[in-house]
Amino acid sequence: MFALFSRLSNRQITLASLVAAGVAAAVANALIARDTERLNPPSGAFIDVDGVRLHYVERGFGEPLVLLHGNGVTLDDLDASGLMAAAATRYRVIAFDRPGFGHSSRPRTTVWTAAAQAELLRKALLQLGVSRCLLFGHSWGACVAVRLAADHPEAVSGLVLASGYYFPDFRADAVALGGPAIPVVGDVLRYTVSPLLARLTWRQMLRNLFAPAKIPAKFRAFPRDMALRPSQLRAAAAESMLMIPAAYSASERYGALTMPVALVAGEGDRVVDIDKQSRRLHDLIAGSSLRRVKAGGHMVHHTATAEVMSAIEEVANAAHDAGERLAPRSRA
C-alpha cells in the first residue's frame, strides 16, 4: 500500500481527494433535498400538462385570479406575503409553482422561456376550467404574465405586474448567476458547492431583495431549504440566463395590450431599475396605471401587500366595466 501511494503524485492525490469530497457533497445535498421535500410536502394539488407535473394551490371563490411567483422562490412566497389570503376573500385564487420550482417538475427537454411557461400555464388553466382570469405576476413571474397576456389576450381580463423586468439591457448578474444551468458543469456545481454558497449568501441576498425595506417577520414562513435544493438552483440559474432574451422577445408587443393593466414598483429596488422598466412600460401601454411604492424595494407584495391588492381591485373593476360596455343590451 505504501508503495502504491509513493508512486502517486501530489496532483493525483489532490485530484482524488477533490473527487471524493465532491461525491460526498453530492450525496449529502441529495439527502438534504429529499428530507426538505419530506418536511415540506405539497400543500395543493397536481395537474399534468404536456409531460409537466404542475403543483398548484387554490383558495377562495369568485372570479379567477392567477398568481405567479418570481425567480428562486415558490408559491409559498406568495402565501407568506399575505397576498393569497387577502385575495381569497374575494377571488378564486390559483397559485402555481412554476416549472422547476416548489413541487413542479421542469423537464430538460424544453427550454423554459417565458413564452413556453405562458403556453403551459394557459393549458393548465383550461384543464382547471378557467378560460379567462385576472393575472398577477411578480418579478420573473411578471415576464411570464405579460407574455401570456400578449399571446392569449382573450384569456386575460386584467393584468397586474409587480417589480418586473420588461426591456433588455446589460445585466452582468444574469450571466454570473447562471452557472448551475450550464450542462454538465452546472450539474456538478448544483450538487456540490452551489447549495453551500447559497446558504452562506442567503441572508445577504434577502437584504438586497427587500432593500431599502427590512426583511419582514412574515417572510420566516417561507421554506428556505426548498429554494436551495439542487433542482431548484438549476431552475433559478436558467431563468437568470433567460431573463434578457425573455424581455427582448416580448418588448415589441407590449403596446398592443388592451386589457386593463396596473404596474406596481418599489422605490429603491436593487434588482431592477423601475424607471427603465416599470415606468417605461407604463408609458408604452395606453391606459395603464403605475404605483410607485416609497421604499418598497423589489418585494412589494411583502412590503406593500395592500397596495398590490388595491392594484388588483383596480384592474378587476376596470375589466368589469369594460365587460359591461361590450355586453349587448337586452331589448325593453
Side-chain angles (χ1 to χ4, degrees), residues 207-241:
R207 292 192 187 100
N208 289 334
L209 285 174
F210 282 96
K214 293 183 179 180
I215 304 170
K218 60 184 177 180
F219 190 76
R220 295 172 187 164
F222 177 75
R224 181 200 68 170
D225 287 349
M226 286 291 288
L228 303 182
R229 295 168 299 155
S231 60
Q232 186 152 321
L233 290 175
R234 180 182 180 275
E239 296 205 341
S240 293
M241 298 182 74

mmCIF file of all heavy atoms in Angstrom, residues 207-241:
data_model
loop_
_atom_site.group_PDB
_atom_site.id
_atom_site.type_symbol
_atom_site.label_atom_id
_atom_site.label_comp_id
_atom_site.label_asym_id
_atom_site.label_seq_id
_atom_site.Cartn_x
_atom_site.Cartn_y
_atom_site.Cartn_z
ATOM 1 N N ARG A 207 -31.514 40.646 1.986
ATOM 2 C CA ARG A 207 -31.383 42.082 2.255
ATOM 3 C C ARG A 207 -31.449 42.876 0.954
ATOM 4 O O ARG A 207 -32.075 43.931 0.886
ATOM 5 C CB ARG A 207 -30.067 42.364 2.996
ATOM 6 C CG ARG A 207 -30.017 41.820 4.420
ATOM 7 C CD ARG A 207 -28.824 42.395 5.163
ATOM 8 N NE ARG A 207 -28.651 41.774 6.467
ATOM 9 C CZ ARG A 207 -27.787 40.810 6.745
ATOM 10 N NH1 ARG A 207 -26.994 40.350 5.776
ATOM 11 N NH2 ARG A 207 -27.690 40.295 7.946
ATOM 12 N N ASN A 208 -30.792 42.378 -0.084
ATOM 13 C CA ASN A 208 -30.816 43.068 -1.374
ATOM 14 C C ASN A 208 -32.204 43.045 -1.998
ATOM 15 O O ASN A 208 -32.634 44.027 -2.612
ATOM 16 C CB ASN A 208 -29.808 42.429 -2.335
ATOM 17 C CG ASN A 208 -28.373 42.722 -1.961
ATOM 18 O OD1 ASN A 208 -28.085 43.737 -1.326
ATOM 19 N ND2 ASN A 208 -27.468 41.839 -2.338
ATOM 20 N N LEU A 209 -32.906 41.933 -1.843
ATOM 21 C CA LEU A 209 -34.232 41.817 -2.424
ATOM 22 C C LEU A 209 -35.226 42.764 -1.760
ATOM 23 O O LEU A 209 -36.074 43.360 -2.431
ATOM 24 C CB LEU A 209 -34.746 40.382 -2.310
ATOM 25 C CG LEU A 209 -34.153 39.345 -3.264
ATOM 26 C CD1 LEU A 209 -34.660 37.957 -2.923
ATOM 27 C CD2 LEU A 209 -34.508 39.684 -4.709
ATOM 28 N N PHE A 210 -35.130 42.890 -0.446
ATOM 29 C CA PHE A 210 -36.100 43.699 0.289
ATOM 30 C C PHE A 210 -35.686 45.163 0.407
ATOM 31 O O PHE A 210 -36.536 46.025 0.622
ATOM 32 C CB PHE A 210 -36.331 43.122 1.680
ATOM 33 C CG PHE A 210 -37.239 41.929 1.702
ATOM 34 C CD1 PHE A 210 -36.724 40.642 1.699
ATOM 35 C CD2 PHE A 210 -38.613 42.083 1.706
ATOM 36 C CE1 PHE A 210 -37.555 39.529 1.712
ATOM 37 C CE2 PHE A 210 -39.458 40.985 1.722
ATOM 38 C CZ PHE A 210 -38.928 39.706 1.727
ATOM 39 N N ALA A 211 -34.395 45.451 0.297
ATOM 40 C CA ALA A 211 -33.903 46.818 0.484
ATOM 41 C C ALA A 211 -34.639 47.793 -0.436
ATOM 42 O O ALA A 211 -34.999 47.440 -1.564
ATOM 43 C CB ALA A 211 -32.402 46.865 0.216
ATOM 44 N N PRO A 212 -34.881 49.014 0.058
ATOM 45 C CA PRO A 212 -34.450 49.599 1.327
ATOM 46 C C PRO A 212 -35.311 49.227 2.530
ATOM 47 O O PRO A 212 -35.048 49.673 3.640
ATOM 48 C CB PRO A 212 -34.546 51.097 1.044
ATOM 49 C CG PRO A 212 -35.650 51.213 0.062
ATOM 50 C CD PRO A 212 -35.527 50.002 -0.818
ATOM 51 N N ALA A 213 -36.344 48.413 2.305
ATOM 52 C CA ALA A 213 -37.161 47.947 3.424
ATOM 53 C C ALA A 213 -36.416 46.850 4.186
ATOM 54 O O ALA A 213 -35.483 46.228 3.662
ATOM 55 C CB ALA A 213 -38.494 47.416 2.911
ATOM 56 N N LYS A 214 -36.841 46.604 5.404
ATOM 57 C CA LYS A 214 -36.289 45.499 6.180
ATOM 58 C C LYS A 214 -37.011 44.202 5.811
ATOM 59 O O LYS A 214 -38.135 44.224 5.310
ATOM 60 C CB LYS A 214 -36.446 45.784 7.675
ATOM 61 C CG LYS A 214 -35.607 46.950 8.172
ATOM 62 C CD LYS A 214 -35.756 47.119 9.683
ATOM 63 C CE LYS A 214 -34.889 48.265 10.189
ATOM 64 N NZ LYS A 214 -35.023 48.456 11.662
ATOM 65 N N ILE A 215 -36.359 43.095 6.074
ATOM 66 C CA ILE A 215 -36.978 41.793 5.823
ATOM 67 C C ILE A 215 -38.111 41.610 6.824
ATOM 68 O O ILE A 215 -37.878 41.606 8.036
ATOM 69 C CB ILE A 215 -35.951 40.652 5.972
ATOM 70 C CG1 ILE A 215 -34.757 40.886 5.054
ATOM 71 C CG2 ILE A 215 -36.612 39.310 5.671
ATOM 72 C CD1 ILE A 215 -33.599 39.943 5.313
ATOM 73 N N PRO A 216 -39.347 41.485 6.385
ATOM 74 C CA PRO A 216 -40.457 41.379 7.337
ATOM 75 C C PRO A 216 -40.479 40.032 8.046
ATOM 76 O O PRO A 216 -40.026 39.024 7.500
ATOM 77 C CB PRO A 216 -41.694 41.555 6.444
ATOM 78 C CG PRO A 216 -41.250 41.078 5.100
ATOM 79 C CD PRO A 216 -39.797 41.452 4.977
ATOM 80 N N ALA A 217 -41.015 40.035 9.250
ATOM 81 C CA ALA A 217 -41.074 38.810 10.040
ATOM 82 C C ALA A 217 -41.890 37.734 9.341
ATOM 83 O O ALA A 217 -41.595 36.536 9.468
ATOM 84 C CB ALA A 217 -41.665 39.114 11.417
ATOM 85 N N LYS A 218 -42.891 38.127 8.548
ATOM 86 C CA LYS A 218 -43.749 37.139 7.903
ATOM 87 C C LYS A 218 -42.998 36.296 6.873
ATOM 88 O O LYS A 218 -43.449 35.194 6.529
ATOM 89 C CB LYS A 218 -44.951 37.818 7.253
ATOM 90 C CG LYS A 218 -44.612 38.843 6.178
ATOM 91 C CD LYS A 218 -45.882 39.532 5.662
ATOM 92 C CE LYS A 218 -45.583 40.618 4.650
ATOM 93 N NZ LYS A 218 -46.811 41.276 4.155
ATOM 94 N N PHE A 219 -41.843 36.792 6.394
ATOM 95 C CA PHE A 219 -41.093 36.011 5.411
ATOM 96 C C PHE A 219 -40.489 34.754 6.023
ATOM 97 O O PHE A 219 -40.098 33.841 5.297
ATOM 98 C CB PHE A 219 -39.993 36.862 4.769
ATOM 99 C CG PHE A 219 -39.342 36.197 3.588
ATOM 100 C CD1 PHE A 219 -39.992 36.135 2.362
ATOM 101 C CD2 PHE A 219 -38.093 35.602 3.709
ATOM 102 C CE1 PHE A 219 -39.401 35.493 1.265
ATOM 103 C CE2 PHE A 219 -37.499 34.966 2.625
ATOM 104 C CZ PHE A 219 -38.163 34.911 1.402
ATOM 105 N N ARG A 220 -40.427 34.701 7.350
ATOM 106 C CA ARG A 220 -39.899 33.494 8.007
ATOM 107 C C ARG A 220 -40.725 32.255 7.673
ATOM 108 O O ARG A 220 -40.248 31.128 7.803
ATOM 109 C CB ARG A 220 -39.879 33.696 9.519
ATOM 110 C CG ARG A 220 -38.914 34.785 9.993
ATOM 111 C CD ARG A 220 -39.089 35.056 11.473
ATOM 112 N NE ARG A 220 -38.290 36.195 11.908
ATOM 113 C CZ ARG A 220 -38.461 36.843 13.059
ATOM 114 N NH1 ARG A 220 -39.407 36.423 13.912
ATOM 115 N NH2 ARG A 220 -37.703 37.872 13.373
ATOM 116 N N ALA A 221 -41.972 32.469 7.246
ATOM 117 C CA ALA A 221 -42.820 31.334 6.892
ATOM 118 C C ALA A 221 -42.391 30.685 5.585
ATOM 119 O O ALA A 221 -42.818 29.572 5.273
ATOM 120 C CB ALA A 221 -44.280 31.785 6.797
ATOM 121 N N PHE A 222 -41.557 31.379 4.815
ATOM 122 C CA PHE A 222 -41.106 30.799 3.549
ATOM 123 C C PHE A 222 -40.091 29.697 3.810
ATOM 124 O O PHE A 222 -39.118 29.890 4.551
ATOM 125 C CB PHE A 222 -40.474 31.873 2.658
ATOM 126 C CG PHE A 222 -39.936 31.317 1.364
ATOM 127 C CD1 PHE A 222 -40.789 30.953 0.350
ATOM 128 C CD2 PHE A 222 -38.571 31.117 1.192
ATOM 129 C CE1 PHE A 222 -40.306 30.412 -0.843
ATOM 130 C CE2 PHE A 222 -38.078 30.577 0.016
ATOM 131 C CZ PHE A 222 -38.951 30.217 -1.006
ATOM 132 N N PRO A 223 -40.259 28.510 3.218
ATOM 133 C CA PRO A 223 -39.347 27.383 3.443
ATOM 134 C C PRO A 223 -38.034 27.554 2.676
ATOM 135 O O PRO A 223 -37.907 27.119 1.525
ATOM 136 C CB PRO A 223 -40.140 26.180 2.946
ATOM 137 C CG PRO A 223 -41.043 26.744 1.887
ATOM 138 C CD PRO A 223 -41.392 28.131 2.348
ATOM 139 N N ARG A 224 -37.050 28.145 3.305
ATOM 140 C CA ARG A 224 -35.785 28.466 2.646
ATOM 141 C C ARG A 224 -35.153 27.267 1.955
ATOM 142 O O ARG A 224 -34.677 27.370 0.814
ATOM 143 C CB ARG A 224 -34.790 29.011 3.682
ATOM 144 C CG ARG A 224 -33.441 29.398 3.099
ATOM 145 C CD ARG A 224 -32.354 29.452 4.152
ATOM 146 N NE ARG A 224 -32.044 28.123 4.666
ATOM 147 C CZ ARG A 224 -31.002 27.841 5.455
ATOM 148 N NH1 ARG A 224 -30.211 28.806 5.843
ATOM 149 N NH2 ARG A 224 -30.786 26.606 5.875
ATOM 150 N N ASP A 225 -35.121 26.132 2.632
ATOM 151 C CA ASP A 225 -34.395 24.981 2.097
ATOM 152 C C ASP A 225 -35.013 24.441 0.810
ATOM 153 O O ASP A 225 -34.327 23.781 0.021
ATOM 154 C CB ASP A 225 -34.309 23.874 3.144
ATOM 155 C CG ASP A 225 -33.319 24.214 4.254
ATOM 156 O OD1 ASP A 225 -32.573 25.203 4.086
ATOM 157 O OD2 ASP A 225 -33.298 23.524 5.281
ATOM 158 N N MET A 226 -36.293 24.728 0.568
ATOM 159 C CA MET A 226 -36.887 24.329 -0.711
ATOM 160 C C MET A 226 -36.225 25.081 -1.860
ATOM 161 O O MET A 226 -36.073 24.545 -2.964
ATOM 162 C CB MET A 226 -38.392 24.602 -0.697
ATOM 163 C CG MET A 226 -39.189 23.628 0.157
ATOM 164 S SD MET A 226 -39.238 21.951 -0.540
ATOM 165 C CE MET A 226 -40.340 22.171 -1.939
ATOM 166 N N ALA A 227 -35.813 26.312 -1.598
ATOM 167 C CA ALA A 227 -35.175 27.124 -2.636
ATOM 168 C C ALA A 227 -33.721 26.741 -2.858
ATOM 169 O O ALA A 227 -33.136 27.139 -3.869
ATOM 170 C CB ALA A 227 -35.267 28.601 -2.270
ATOM 171 N N LEU A 228 -33.135 25.968 -1.937
ATOM 172 C CA LEU A 228 -31.718 25.644 -2.014
ATOM 173 C C LEU A 228 -31.460 24.213 -2.487
ATOM 174 O O LEU A 228 -30.322 23.751 -2.462
ATOM 175 C CB LEU A 228 -31.066 25.866 -0.646
ATOM 176 C CG LEU A 228 -31.231 27.281 -0.071
ATOM 177 C CD1 LEU A 228 -30.499 27.400 1.255
ATOM 178 C CD2 LEU A 228 -30.727 28.333 -1.048
ATOM 179 N N ARG A 229 -32.496 23.529 -2.916
ATOM 180 C CA ARG A 229 -32.305 22.186 -3.475
ATOM 181 C C ARG A 229 -31.591 22.285 -4.829
ATOM 182 O O ARG A 229 -31.787 23.260 -5.578
ATOM 183 C CB ARG A 229 -33.655 21.496 -3.674
ATOM 184 C CG ARG A 229 -34.419 21.202 -2.396
ATOM 185 C CD ARG A 229 -35.845 20.788 -2.726
ATOM 186 N NE ARG A 229 -36.537 21.875 -3.418
ATOM 187 C CZ ARG A 229 -37.579 21.702 -4.235
ATOM 188 N NH1 ARG A 229 -38.023 20.484 -4.494
ATOM 189 N NH2 ARG A 229 -38.151 22.743 -4.809
ATOM 190 N N PRO A 230 -30.782 21.301 -5.174
ATOM 191 C CA PRO A 230 -30.085 21.350 -6.473
ATOM 192 C C PRO A 230 -31.017 21.543 -7.657
ATOM 193 O O PRO A 230 -30.698 22.281 -8.593
ATOM 194 C CB PRO A 230 -29.376 19.992 -6.524
ATOM 195 C CG PRO A 230 -29.112 19.657 -5.088
ATOM 196 C CD PRO A 230 -30.321 20.155 -4.344
ATOM 197 N N SER A 231 -32.176 20.917 -7.636
ATOM 198 C CA SER A 231 -33.109 21.035 -8.764
ATOM 199 C C SER A 231 -33.609 22.461 -8.921
ATOM 200 O O SER A 231 -33.715 22.978 -10.041
ATOM 201 C CB SER A 231 -34.293 20.083 -8.569
ATOM 202 O OG SER A 231 -34.986 20.389 -7.366
ATOM 203 N N GLN A 232 -33.911 23.110 -7.804
ATOM 204 C CA GLN A 232 -34.427 24.477 -7.894
ATOM 205 C C GLN A 232 -33.310 25.474 -8.187
ATOM 206 O O GLN A 232 -33.546 26.492 -8.849
ATOM 207 C CB GLN A 232 -35.167 24.873 -6.618
ATOM 208 C CG GLN A 232 -35.830 26.237 -6.747
ATOM 209 C CD GLN A 232 -37.056 26.393 -5.884
ATOM 210 O OE1 GLN A 232 -37.853 25.470 -5.725
ATOM 211 N NE2 GLN A 232 -37.222 27.579 -5.319
ATOM 212 N N LEU A 233 -32.106 25.205 -7.731
ATOM 213 C CA LEU A 233 -30.980 26.067 -8.080
ATOM 214 C C LEU A 233 -30.758 26.075 -9.586
ATOM 215 O O LEU A 233 -30.416 27.109 -10.176
ATOM 216 C CB LEU A 233 -29.717 25.607 -7.356
ATOM 217 C CG LEU A 233 -29.688 25.844 -5.842
ATOM 218 C CD1 LEU A 233 -28.424 25.223 -5.237
ATOM 219 C CD2 LEU A 233 -29.750 27.330 -5.501
ATOM 220 N N ARG A 234 -30.947 24.930 -10.212
ATOM 221 C CA ARG A 234 -30.806 24.871 -11.670
ATOM 222 C C ARG A 234 -31.896 25.700 -12.349
ATOM 223 O O ARG A 234 -31.627 26.451 -13.297
ATOM 224 C CB ARG A 234 -30.885 23.423 -12.158
ATOM 225 C CG ARG A 234 -30.745 23.319 -13.672
ATOM 226 C CD ARG A 234 -30.867 21.881 -14.165
ATOM 227 N NE ARG A 234 -30.720 21.856 -15.615
ATOM 228 C CZ ARG A 234 -31.720 22.068 -16.477
ATOM 229 N NH1 ARG A 234 -32.931 22.310 -16.014
ATOM 230 N NH2 ARG A 234 -31.506 22.034 -17.769
ATOM 231 N N ALA A 235 -33.133 25.583 -11.876
ATOM 232 C CA ALA A 235 -34.227 26.355 -12.468
ATOM 233 C C ALA A 235 -33.987 27.851 -12.310
ATOM 234 O O ALA A 235 -34.195 28.630 -13.248
ATOM 235 C CB ALA A 235 -35.554 25.959 -11.814
ATOM 236 N N ALA A 236 -33.535 28.255 -11.127
ATOM 237 C CA ALA A 236 -33.280 29.674 -10.873
ATOM 238 C C ALA A 236 -32.149 30.194 -11.757
ATOM 239 O O ALA A 236 -32.208 31.311 -12.286
ATOM 240 C CB ALA A 236 -32.947 29.890 -9.396
ATOM 241 N N ALA A 237 -31.100 29.385 -11.907
ATOM 242 C CA ALA A 237 -29.971 29.790 -12.750
ATOM 243 C C ALA A 237 -30.396 29.908 -14.207
ATOM 244 O O ALA A 237 -30.007 30.844 -14.913
ATOM 245 C CB ALA A 237 -28.833 28.786 -12.610
ATOM 246 N N ALA A 238 -31.216 28.968 -14.664
ATOM 247 C CA ALA A 238 -31.689 29.013 -16.046
ATOM 248 C C ALA A 238 -32.510 30.269 -16.295
ATOM 249 O O ALA A 238 -32.383 30.918 -17.343
ATOM 250 C CB ALA A 238 -32.518 27.768 -16.351
ATOM 251 N N GLU A 239 -33.335 30.652 -15.326
ATOM 252 C CA GLU A 239 -34.165 31.839 -15.517
ATOM 253 C C GLU A 239 -33.332 33.120 -15.455
ATOM 254 O O GLU A 239 -33.685 34.111 -16.100
ATOM 255 C CB GLU A 239 -35.302 31.862 -14.498
ATOM 256 C CG GLU A 239 -36.245 30.695 -14.712
ATOM 257 C CD GLU A 239 -37.646 30.919 -14.197
ATOM 258 O OE1 GLU A 239 -37.841 31.828 -13.361
ATOM 259 O OE2 GLU A 239 -38.547 30.174 -14.635
ATOM 260 N N SER A 240 -32.239 33.094 -14.722
ATOM 261 C CA SER A 240 -31.334 34.246 -14.740
ATOM 262 C C SER A 240 -30.771 34.439 -16.147
ATOM 263 O O SER A 240 -30.691 35.558 -16.660
ATOM 264 C CB SER A 240 -30.190 34.044 -13.747
ATOM 265 O OG SER A 240 -30.669 34.059 -12.418
ATOM 266 N N MET A 241 -30.393 33.339 -16.783
ATOM 267 C CA MET A 241 -29.825 33.421 -18.125
ATOM 268 C C MET A 241 -30.883 33.743 -19.189
ATOM 269 O O MET A 241 -30.568 34.319 -20.233
ATOM 270 C CB MET A 241 -29.121 32.103 -18.473
ATOM 271 C CG MET A 241 -27.961 31.768 -17.562
ATOM 272 S SD MET A 241 -27.098 30.239 -18.009
ATOM 273 C CE MET A 241 -26.208 30.773 -19.466
#
